[in-house]
Amino acid sequence: MTIKIGQVGLGRLGRVHAENIVHHLPNAELYAVASVVPEELDYAKHTLGVPYTYTSYSQMINNDALDAVVIVSPSGFHTVQITQALDKGLHVFSEKPLGLEMTSIQKVVEKIEATPQQVFQLGFMRRFDDSYRYAKQLVDQGELGALTTIRCYGIDPSEGLPSFIKFAKGAASGGIFLDMSIHDIDLIRWFTQSEFKSVYALGHNIAAPELNACQELETGACLAELNNGVIAYLLAGRNAHHGYHVETELIGTKGMIRIGNAPEKNLVTLYDANGVVRPTSTHFPERFKAAFVNELRAFIDAIKTQAPASVTGIDGLKSTEVAIAMQQAYETKSIIQL
Amino acid sequence: MTIKIGQVGLGRLGRVHAENIVHHLPNAELYAVASVVPEELDYAKHTLGVPYTYTSYSQMINNDALDAVVIVSPSGFHTVQITQALDKGLHVFSEKPLGLEMTSIQKVVEKIEATPQQVFQLGFMRRFDDSYRYAKQLVDQGELGALTTIRCYGIDPSEGLPSFIKFAKGAASGGIFLDMSIHDIDLIRWFTQSEFKSVYALGHNIAAPELNACQELETGACLAELNNGVIAYLLAGRNAHHGYHVETELIGTKGMIRIGNAPEKNLVTLYDANGVVRPTSTHFPERFKAAFVNELRAFIDAIKTQAPASVTGIDGLKSTEVAIAMQQAYETKSIIQL
Amino acid sequence: MTIKIGQVGLGRLGRVHAENIVHHLPNAELYAVASVVPEELDYAKHTLGVPYTYTSYSQMINNDALDAVVIVSPSGFHTVQITQALDKGLHVFSEKPLGLEMTSIQKVVEKIEATPQQVFQLGFMRRFDDSYRYAKQLVDQGELGALTTIRCYGIDPSEGLPSFIKFAKGAASGGIFLDMSIHDIDLIRWFTQSEFKSVYALGHNIAAPELNACQELETGACLAELNNGVIAYLLAGRNAHHGYHVETELIGTKGMIRIGNAPEKNLVTLYDANGVVRPTSTHFPERFKAAFVNELRAFIDAIKTQAPASVTGIDGLKSTEVAIAMQQAYETKSIIQL
Amino acid sequence: MTIKIGQVGLGRLGRVHAENIVHHLPNAELYAVASVVPEELDYAKHTLGVPYTYTSYSQMINNDALDAVVIVSPSGFHTVQITQALDKGLHVFSEKPLGLEMTSIQKVVEKIEATPQQVFQLGFMRRFDDSYRYAKQLVDQGELGALTTIRCYGIDPSEGLPSFIKFAKGAASGGIFLDMSIHDIDLIRWFTQSEFKSVYALGHNIAAPELNACQELETGACLAELNNGVIAYLLAGRNAHHGYHVETELIGTKGMIRIGNAPEKNLVTLYDANGVVRPTSTHFPERFKAAFVNELRAFIDAIKTQAPASVTGIDGLKSTEVAIAMQQAYETKSIIQL
């Protein structure tokens, strides 16, 4: 049985998902696509060979042949589109975040929980990366003992900074913690199996003073405490000159692990006039190339085996809650209890 | 159009290919399988859902629905099976080596060249590995200047040594150079675009004295000169305690590259009582996981686009010729000119 | 002219200094030693060949042949011994911290500043480590642009944890921030040339619950802001299984540097059953072996050239002040403004 | 007792030794210097404060206050100057090579062996490098099992290539194997405690065609067999763009070690537009800074304790013999048996 998928949104990340469905998932078919951008529908029809294209999400999900939707639209649409799809009886894969404010998120989570026979999966792809899965296995096997301290870095490449500045002048990202740290919050919850207790945050725009006027941050840093006592440090930034720096450090009573100490592109080392150089991943589609395939494969497998997905609505709700608290801590210069 | 594939052989590497076709190649279908091992046919039928299974290769290729064959049988069968498939008008992907001795290899290469409308591809998967492709691109762009010296290591994990010793007592591998160095010979030809001029080789069984009685080597080393003056050092071994060590070093007039300086498993680093540890790939299916998918994807793409494959019969012939000369150099303790 | 040195204290670090004076500093002579431990005096006399030994510091500094003192006594004695030596007209090298509470520290700093013709140097040896000096040079040359974020780790090897627990039951270390983070505070001040503005700190004893009863911490973490806007994260710990982990990360607008990403022991890499392993420095005398020599060489050179030392009393005062604020932030669970 | 040293030669390496004696060896005194270059004597007298300077080696060793000589003159003078110093009853430290041809080397070795009460030490400083000593200890403890294969790289930085080309036009270096591989030959003998049995060598000047006219090589490579069966590969070159690349790989039946996989300058890692970069040692005085001090310290200690030095005349003789055989193998394009 091939799972027929309708996808909304074909921006940068949308194309990653669409191409993965077409080229890497024999059990899935990209059956329909919805977008308000004509070029995206052209691309879907002519490059990817998608049979049905729509300018409206509502119309697309009326196509009765569909089994599932993949939502890669702007964050503000997520809760509504998830709800509509669930109402239609469709399985749903949605990009993070689940939503932008807590009330609608809580409602959509209730909806998700009320339809357990429909698979719902949130796009925290890092959990599907080989390195993160390997680390998770070590942690769960007790190789590190009890976790004591976690450090999570998510720093976007500097080459994207100018376009972010342009974007920030016109629209709100939700703040650096909701926009970027949310992945790290999810990882911390996943690794520790504990919830955040308190957060304190700092931020600045030394590297991009233009952002001060947009109420955005180039760098945000947070020191947090979890319910089980683990201390977490989260750093989000938009100015890594060496590429796309996502790093997680797990310290336990028995040892320490770093995932992505350096975001090595591959197994090549250059020995040249610069010294001994490891080339790096330069953007998220490269760094998490396999993880994006893996997460959709897991979604398809969950549908086929009628199993629940591993990343749930609750994961989306909890991580958003923490990100919002971080933003508040930064804005009020105070320690926020959760 | 889905390419219907018949595969012969479902041993360790055979299963890698079969599972890749089933799980990773939407444009291909594993339509038939041939094997003399009942368990392998069971696995194909029940685990992979292959529609047709045969105990005979000849019978399988009589299935007129087939578009292509994937040959993963013992090396001694390759030339005959390639010829039969080409005679049936099928596209052919064959594992290396092309064959075990030069006369039949030359004939099969003539055959391959006489049917240019049928895609023939040899299984030198390293050329399809991201790290090797990245290095090849740097070399072709001239980043290293003119190549001067190459070092190629292919060292199998020690955990496979006992089973190799057992195997070697009953059968001939063709010698370590034909069995293992052939991948490195191909890489050297690929990177330098030049042919081997002379080879000198040494070998020993310090790590596995039992192999002396089998006329096999645990370690073989070769110093070679290419027609364009490049010096190459090849080391093949069967006793790497840290995993599967495939490494290539390219020195050019402008810089140096190492591919696989350490066969890092992923981006995880452990900091524990041993020191700072990078876990390693422990066998070829792990190290070249993506390369195995990529090479079959390239084969399918070549069929669909009616383009020639990038790894040809000539590549198989030339590399075998060099490997045989290395073995001869080792046996005669002399420098062999090609 | 050979500088005649009297040293007080021959514990672990004391012996490092004493042996460096004897074996590595041609322009200095370890002329006298004071200790209340008979074995230490024996060692000085018989192993190191020190001419004069004393059971009293006051007696030692009455030896008129002395040019300088090296103070490696317990922290509580520092301010008094520095004052006495300065009164005698001696040059003074003192181990950190300058003292344990602010009033006496302020007085001794006044004293130091009142005798500018006598060299006073505090034992922040990291500033004299080749790696740190190299990084400082890059920062000062502007290679990183403006600094934005700093991360400092100081984690002692786990093998020392049992003896610290034993020690903590009987005596106060001053707390982990004063005992350990002080080196990192100094580095941050040195690299940024700015002062701390606010600190917030967390701590726990997950890895050593026995320390709860001693009001000590195994792990302490601090998120701080500097006057120039730089964000700093400091982590101090006592349980690194891989050795002695001192690491500093400097992020600037133009790039990032890590010093001691891994505390590599030397240039050896092991490829064994554990993977690819870099052996590590296992304690401070190993990691900062050359730095300890360099700092005393700098002290001797300052005396000989009548130049001021590069690590001053003010550096001791400021770093202590910050460390005390961190401890207070931890104890009161609040953000402390400096 | 301070050892009074007379040194001949104050070129690049000569200054390294002279400054080490003056600044790092409290038990030694640089008492006299001989050189035909007036600037070198000026430097000795005024910068280093050496009491006696001579334009003639013979005159210098007539200074009866001397205990030992350090010979850093051109290689052609070594055998004569060693002999003269031994005749005067002096202890001798001589730079490598012992000499340029076997007859005079054999004679000087006989002389050395005839005066066992006088310490003679040859300047194979790599044996005194911390990384090499650590590796040697692991090997001697059996951590690698029996050695099976060794790889030794000695590649000079490209920035020195133009001056070598200029030098090569006027004078003979003895060939790349005698000039450079000799250090690696010594290491192989030291690690294996076995002697060379056969050598085969190749070479080219792809990176420096001007050297063809000088009968010199930019790159020389050798595949050798030792009496105990160990296979060794030696690569010498003069064109490393990343710095001074000295690397040794030891493969044993139980594991593998690399010393200097990358010639890391220190513990700093840069994360910049180039990727993740380890800065490198750019020349031998930097890479072997501590080894040069250590070897002279060992020499002084041997004199003081009346113990034999660890690097003997025989080590010089044997390594020269092998280097000459390599050169012959290259020139005759044949395998040379030793």
Side-chain angles (χ1 to χ4, degrees):
Chain A
M1 186 196 71
T2 298
I3 307 299
K4 287 189 164 54
I5 294 174
Q7 176 174 320
V8 57
L10 276 173
R12 192 177 183 199
L13 179 52
R15 291 187 183 212
V16 170
H17 286 313
E19 294 184 9
N20 286 343
I21 296 167
V22 173
H23 297 307
H24 293 279
L25 297 175
N27 294 318
E29 181 185 357
L30 188 54
Y31 192 72
V33 155
S35 170
V36 293
V37 184
E39 292 74 20
E40 294 184 2
L41 297 182
D42 268 11
Y43 160 81
K45 190 170 268 173
H46 302 300
T47 305
L48 300 179
V50 177
Y52 297 89
T53 56
Y54 300 89
T55 53
S56 142
Y57 176 75
S58 309
Q59 282 182 338
M60 180 178 78
I61 61 175
N62 277 329
N63 187 324
D64 287 339
L66 287 184
D67 298 302
V69 290
V70 166
I71 298 172
V72 207
S73 54
S75 307
F77 296 102
H78 291 184
T79 53
V80 171
Q81 291 177 339
I82 293 167
T83 307
Q84 287 180 305
L86 290 175
D87 281 339
K88 279 279 170 185
L90 296 166
H91 304 286
V92 177
F93 176 93
S94 172
E95 262 311 312
K96 66 93 205 168
L98 202 43
L100 292 178
E101 43 78 47
M102 291 307 296
T103 317
S104 60
I105 290 175
Q106 268 150 349
K107 268 190 202 150
V108 84
V109 168
E110 281 165 28
K111 180 78 195 172
I112 290 165
E113 301 204 323
T115 55
Q117 72 291 0
Q118 287 164 256
V119 174
F120 174 82
Q121 185 176 325
L122 196 66
F124 284 138
M125 80 290 184
R126 293 188 193 171
R127 295 196 190 189
F128 296 90
D129 172 68
D130 280 350
S131 298
Y132 278 98
R133 288 202 282 203
Y134 180 79
K136 175 68 166 142
Q137 200 178 359
L138 290 178
V139 169
D140 289 352
Q141 286 167 357
E143 301 288 336
L144 299 190
L147 291 180
T148 64
T149 315
I150 299 190
R151 173 172 61 87
C152 288
Y153 278 22
I155 315 180
D156 276 352
S158 348
E159 64 179 24
L161 186 52
S163 72
F164 177 77
I165 291 171
K166 195 186 281 183
F167 163 83
K169 285 175 179 164
S173 76
I176 198 166
F177 302 109
L178 195 59
D179 187 32
M180 297 188 60
S181 300
I182 196 162
H183 279 293
D184 290 322
I185 296 166
D186 180 62
L187 287 177
I188 292 168
R189 292 181 60 254
W190 186 52
F191 277 117
T192 61
Q193 302 183 41
S194 182
E195 300 295 343
F196 280 69
K197 183 176 164 192
S198 70
V199 295
Y200 170 63
L202 294 171
H204 61 55
N205 286 314
I206 298 175
E210 308 92 310
L211 290 177
N212 286 326
C214 318
Q215 289 184 293
E216 286 282 358
L217 290 173
E218 180 279 315
T219 292
C222 170
L223 183 60
E225 192 171 15
L226 298 183
N227 285 336
N228 65 359
V230 166
I231 295 171
Y233 175 59
L234 300 91
L235 181 71
R238 306 184 186 278
N239 188 36
H241 287 267
H242 59 285
Y244 176 61
H245 193 100
V246 168
E247 178 182 1
T248 302
E249 173 189 279
L250 303 160
I251 306 184
T253 52
K254 289 175 162 183
M256 177 165 117
I257 277 183
R258 288 191 181 167
I259 307 147
N261 200 330
E264 293 140 2
K265 191 187 206 71
N266 50 38
L267 294 177
V268 172
T269 308
L270 311 177
Y271 292 67
D272 63 18
N274 295 307
V276 177
V277 182
R278 290 298 295 259
T280 46
S281 289
T282 50
H283 42 61
F284 70 83
E286 179 181 18
R287 169 63 186 89
F288 289 110
K289 186 182 172 190
F292 284 119
V293 175
N294 292 343
E295 72 172 352
L296 279 187
R297 190 183 298 277
F299 176 60
I300 301 299
D301 286 352
I303 294 171
K304 291 179 77 95
T305 61
Q306 303 186 338
S310 57
V311 191
T312 69
I314 291 292
D315 292 320
L317 183 149
K318 288 289 186 183
S319 53
T320 307
E321 201 170 35
V322 177
I324 289 170
M326 285 184 190
Q327 182 67 25
Q328 193 189 344
Y330 163 69
E331 288 172 3
T332 61
K333 293 190 168 292
S334 63
I335 305 155
I336 303 291
Q337 307 295 327
L338 279 122
Chain B
M1 186 196 72
T2 298
I3 306 298
K4 287 189 164 55
I5 293 175
Q7 177 174 320
V8 56
L10 276 174
R12 191 177 184 201
L13 179 52
R15 291 186 183 214
V16 170
H17 286 312
E19 294 185 7
N20 285 343
I21 296 166
V22 172
H23 297 309
H24 293 279
L25 298 176
N27 294 318
E29 182 186 358
L30 189 54
Y31 193 72
V33 154
S35 171
V36 293
V37 184
E39 291 75 20
E40 293 184 2
L41 298 182
D42 268 12
Y43 160 80
K45 190 170 270 172
H46 303 300
T47 305
L48 299 179
V50 177
Y52 296 88
T53 57
Y54 300 88
T55 53
S56 143
Y57 176 75
S58 309
Q59 282 182 338
M60 179 179 80
I61 60 175
N62 277 329
N63 187 324
D64 287 339
L66 287 183
D67 297 303
V69 290
V70 166
I71 298 173
V72 206
S73 55
S75 306
F77 295 103
H78 291 182
T79 53
V80 172
Q81 291 176 339
I82 293 167
T83 307
Q84 287 180 305
L86 290 176
D87 281 339
K88 278 281 172 187
L90 296 166
H91 303 287
V92 177
F93 176 93
S94 172
E95 263 310 312
K96 64 93 207 169
L98 200 45
L100 292 176
E101 43 77 47
M102 292 306 296
T103 317
S104 60
I105 290 175
Q106 269 150 349
K107 267 190 203 150
V108 84
V109 169
E110 282 165 28
K111 180 78 195 172
I112 291 165
E113 302 204 321
T115 56
Q117 73 291 359
Q118 288 163 255
V119 174
F120 174 82
Q121 185 177 325
L122 196 66
F124 284 138
M125 80 291 184
R126 293 188 193 171
R127 295 196 190 189
F128 296 89
D129 172 69
D130 279 350
S131 298
Y132 279 98
R133 288 202 283 203
Y134 180 79
K136 175 68 165 145
Q137 200 177 0
L138 290 178
V139 169
D140 290 352
Q141 286 168 356
E143 301 288 336
L144 298 190
L147 291 180
T148 64
T149 315
I150 298 188
R151 174 172 60 87
C152 288
Y153 278 21
I155 316 181
D156 275 352
S158 347
E159 65 179 24
L161 185 53
S163 73
F164 177 77
I165 291 171
K166 195 186 280 183
F167 163 82
K169 284 177 179 164
S173 76
I176 197 166
F177 302 108
L178 195 58
D179 188 31
M180 297 188 59
S181 300
I182 196 161
H183 279 295
D184 291 320
I185 297 167
D186 180 60
L187 287 178
I188 292 169
R189 293 181 60 254
W190 186 53
F191 277 117
T192 61
Q193 302 184 42
S194 181
E195 300 294 342
F196 280 69
K197 182 176 163 192
S198 71
V199 294
Y200 169 63
L202 295 171
H204 60 55
N205 286 313
I206 297 175
E210 308 92 311
L211 289 178
N212 287 325
C214 317
Q215 291 184 291
E216 286 282 0
L217 290 174
E218 180 278 315
T219 292
C222 170
L223 183 59
E225 193 172 13
L226 298 184
N227 286 336
N228 65 359
V230 166
I231 294 171
Y233 175 60
L234 300 91
L235 182 71
R238 306 184 185 281
N239 188 37
H241 288 267
H242 60 284
Y244 176 62
H245 193 100
V246 168
E247 178 182 3
T248 302
E249 174 189 279
L250 304 159
I251 306 184
T253 51
K254 289 175 163 182
M256 178 165 116
I257 277 183
R258 288 189 182 169
I259 307 147
N261 201 331
E264 293 140 1
K265 192 189 205 71
N266 49 38
L267 293 178
V268 172
T269 307
L270 311 177
Y271 292 67
D272 63 18
N274 295 305
V276 177
V277 183
R278 289 299 295 259
T280 47
S281 289
T282 51
H283 42 61
F284 70 83
E286 180 182 17
R287 169 63 185 88
F288 290 109
K289 186 182 172 190
F292 284 120
V293 175
N294 291 343
E295 69 172 353
L296 280 187
R297 189 183 298 276
F299 176 61
I300 300 301
D301 286 352
I303 294 171
K304 291 179 78 94
T305 60
Q306 303 185 338
S310 58
V311 192
T312 68
I314 291 291
D315 292 320
L317 183 149
K318 289 290 186 183
S319 54
T320 307
E321 202 170 33
V322 176
I324 289 171
M326 284 183 187
Q327 182 67 24
Q328 192 189 343
Y330 164 68
E331 288 173 3
T332 60
K333 292 189 170 292
S334 63
I335 306 155
I336 302 291
Q337 307 296 327
L338 279 124
Chain C
M1 183 196 74
T2 297
I3 306 297
K4 286 191 165 55
I5 294 174
Q7 177 174 321
V8 57
L10 276 173
R12 191 177 184 200
L13 179 53
R15 291 187 184 213
V16 170
H17 286 311
E19 294 185 8
N20 286 342
I21 296 166
V22 172
H23 297 306
H24 294 278
L25 298 176
N27 294 318
E29 182 185 358
L30 188 54
Y31 192 73
V33 155
S35 170
V36 292
V37 184
E39 291 75 20
E40 294 184 3
L41 297 182
D42 267 11
Y43 160 81
K45 188 170 271 172
H46 302 299
T47 305
L48 299 180
V50 176
Y52 296 88
T53 58
Y54 300 89
T55 54
S56 141
Y57 176 75
S58 310
Q59 284 182 338
M60 180 179 79
I61 59 174
N62 278 329
N63 186 324
D64 288 337
L66 288 183
D67 297 300
V69 290
V70 166
I71 299 174
V72 207
S73 56
S75 307
F77 295 104
H78 292 182
T79 50
V80 172
Q81 291 176 340
I82 292 166
T83 308
Q84 287 181 305
L86 290 175
D87 281 340
K88 278 280 170 188
L90 295 167
H91 303 287
V92 177
F93 176 94
S94 171
E95 262 311 311
K96 64 91 207 170
L98 200 45
L100 291 177
E101 42 78 48
M102 291 307 297
T103 318
S104 60
I105 290 175
Q106 269 150 348
K107 266 191 205 151
V108 84
V109 169
E110 282 164 29
K111 179 80 194 171
I112 291 166
E113 302 203 323
T115 55
Q117 73 291 0
Q118 287 163 259
V119 175
F120 173 82
Q121 185 176 326
L122 196 66
F124 284 138
M125 81 292 185
R126 293 188 193 172
R127 296 196 190 189
F128 296 89
D129 171 68
D130 279 350
S131 298
Y132 279 98
R133 288 202 282 203
Y134 180 79
K136 176 68 165 142
Q137 199 177 1
L138 290 178
V139 169
D140 289 352
Q141 286 168 356
E143 301 288 335
L144 298 189
L147 290 180
T148 65
T149 315
I150 299 189
R151 175 173 60 87
C152 288
Y153 279 22
I155 316 180
D156 274 353
S158 349
E159 64 178 26
L161 185 52
S163 73
F164 177 77
I165 292 171
K166 193 185 282 182
F167 163 83
K169 285 176 179 163
S173 76
I176 197 165
F177 302 109
L178 195 59
D179 188 30
M180 296 187 61
S181 299
I182 196 162
H183 280 294
D184 290 321
I185 296 166
D186 180 61
L187 288 178
I188 292 168
R189 293 181 62 254
W190 187 51
F191 277 117
T192 61
Q193 303 184 42
S194 182
E195 299 295 342
F196 281 69
K197 181 178 164 193
S198 71
V199 295
Y200 170 63
L202 295 170
H204 61 54
N205 287 313
I206 298 175
E210 307 94 310
L211 289 178
N212 286 326
C214 317
Q215 291 184 292
E216 285 282 359
L217 291 172
E218 180 279 316
T219 293
C222 171
L223 183 59
E225 193 171 12
L226 298 184
N227 285 336
N228 65 359
V230 166
I231 294 172
Y233 175 58
L234 300 91
L235 181 71
R238 307 184 185 279
N239 187 37
H241 288 265
H242 60 282
Y244 176 62
H245 193 100
V246 168
E247 178 182 1
T248 302
E249 173 189 279
L250 304 161
I251 306 184
T253 52
K254 289 174 162 184
M256 177 166 117
I257 277 182
R258 288 190 182 168
I259 307 147
N261 200 332
E264 295 140 1
K265 193 188 204 72
N266 50 37
L267 294 177
V268 172
T269 307
L270 310 177
Y271 292 68
D272 63 19
N274 294 307
V276 177
V277 183
R278 290 298 296 258
T280 47
S281 289
T282 50
H283 42 60
F284 70 83
E286 179 182 16
R287 168 64 185 89
F288 290 109
K289 187 182 172 190
F292 284 119
V293 176
N294 292 342
E295 70 172 352
L296 279 187
R297 189 184 298 277
F299 176 61
I300 300 300
D301 286 352
I303 295 171
K304 291 179 78 95
T305 60
Q306 302 186 338
S310 57
V311 192
T312 68
I314 290 290
D315 292 320
L317 182 149
K318 288 288 186 184
S319 53
T320 306
E321 200 170 36
V322 177
I324 289 170
M326 285 184 190
Q327 181 68 23
Q328 192 189 345
Y330 164 70
E331 287 172 4
T332 61
K333 293 189 169 292
S334 64
I335 305 154
I336 302 292
Q337 308 295 328
L338 280 122
Chain D
M1 183 197 72
T2 298
I3 306 298
K4 288 190 164 54
I5 294 175
Q7 177 175 320
V8 56
L10 275 174
R12 191 176 183 201
L13 179 52
R15 291 187 184 212
V16 170
H17 286 311
E19 293 185 8
N20 285 342
I21 296 167
V22 172
H23 297 307
H24 294 279
L25 297 176
N27 294 318
E29 182 185 358
L30 188 55
Y31 193 72
V33 155
S35 170
V36 293
V37 184
E39 291 75 19
E40 294 185 3
L41 296 183
D42 266 11
Y43 160 80
K45 189 171 272 174
H46 302 300
T47 306
L48 299 180
V50 177
Y52 297 89
T53 57
Y54 300 88
T55 54
S56 141
Y57 176 75
S58 309
Q59 283 182 339
M60 179 179 79
I61 61 176
N62 278 329
N63 186 323
D64 287 338
L66 288 183
D67 296 301
V69 290
V70 166
I71 298 173
V72 207
S73 54
S75 306
F77 296 104
H78 291 183
T79 51
V80 171
Q81 291 176 340
I82 294 167
T83 306
Q84 287 180 306
L86 291 175
D87 281 339
K88 278 278 170 189
L90 295 166
H91 303 287
V92 177
F93 176 92
S94 172
E95 263 310 311
K96 64 93 204 168
L98 201 43
L100 291 177
E101 40 80 46
M102 291 306 298
T103 316
S104 60
I105 290 175
Q106 268 151 350
K107 266 191 203 151
V108 83
V109 169
E110 281 165 30
K111 179 81 196 170
I112 291 166
E113 302 204 322
T115 54
Q117 75 289 1
Q118 287 163 257
V119 174
F120 174 82
Q121 185 177 326
L122 195 66
F124 283 137
M125 80 291 185
R126 294 189 192 170
R127 296 195 190 190
F128 296 89
D129 172 69
D130 279 350
S131 298
Y132 278 98
R133 289 202 282 204
Y134 180 77
K136 176 69 166 142
Q137 199 177 0
L138 291 177
V139 169
D140 289 352
Q141 285 168 356
E143 300 289 335
L144 298 189
L147 291 180
T148 65
T149 315
I150 299 189
R151 174 172 61 87
C152 288
Y153 279 21
I155 315 181
D156 275 353
S158 349
E159 63 178 25
L161 185 53
S163 72
F164 177 76
I165 291 171
K166 195 186 280 183
F167 163 82
K169 284 176 180 163
S173 77
I176 197 166
F177 302 108
L178 195 58
D179 188 31
M180 297 187 59
S181 299
I182 197 162
H183 279 294
D184 291 322
I185 296 166
D186 181 61
L187 287 177
I188 292 168
R189 293 180 62 252
W190 186 51
F191 277 117
T192 62
Q193 302 184 41
S194 182
E195 299 295 341
F196 280 70
K197 183 176 162 191
S198 70
V199 294
Y200 170 63
L202 294 170
H204 62 54
N205 286 314
I206 298 175
E210 308 92 311
L211 290 177
N212 287 325
C214 318
Q215 291 184 292
E216 285 283 358
L217 290 173
E218 180 279 316
T219 292
C222 171
L223 184 59
E225 194 171 13
L226 298 183
N227 286 336
N228 66 357
V230 167
I231 294 171
Y233 175 59
L234 300 92
L235 182 71
R238 306 184 185 280
N239 188 37
H241 287 267
H242 59 284
Y244 177 61
H245 193 99
V246 168
E247 178 182 2
T248 302
E249 173 189 279
L250 303 160
I251 306 184
T253 53
K254 290 174 161 185
M256 177 164 117
I257 277 183
R258 288 192 182 167
I259 307 146
N261 201 332
E264 294 140 1
K265 190 187 207 70
N266 49 38
L267 294 177
V268 172
T269 307
L270 311 178
Y271 293 66
D272 63 18
N274 295 305
V276 177
V277 183
R278 291 298 295 259
T280 46
S281 289
T282 49
H283 42 62
F284 70 83
E286 179 181 17
R287 168 64 186 89
F288 289 109
K289 187 182 171 189
F292 284 118
V293 175
N294 291 343
E295 69 172 354
L296 280 187
R297 189 183 298 277
F299 175 62
I300 301 300
D301 286 352
I303 294 171
K304 290 180 77 97
T305 61
Q306 303 186 338
S310 57
V311 192
T312 67
I314 290 291
D315 292 321
L317 182 149
K318 288 288 186 183
S319 53
T320 307
E321 198 168 38
V322 177
I324 289 171
M326 284 185 189
Q327 181 67 25
Q328 191 189 346
Y330 164 68
E331 287 173 4
T332 61
K333 293 188 167 294
S334 64
I335 306 154
I336 302 291
Q337 308 295 328
L338 280 123

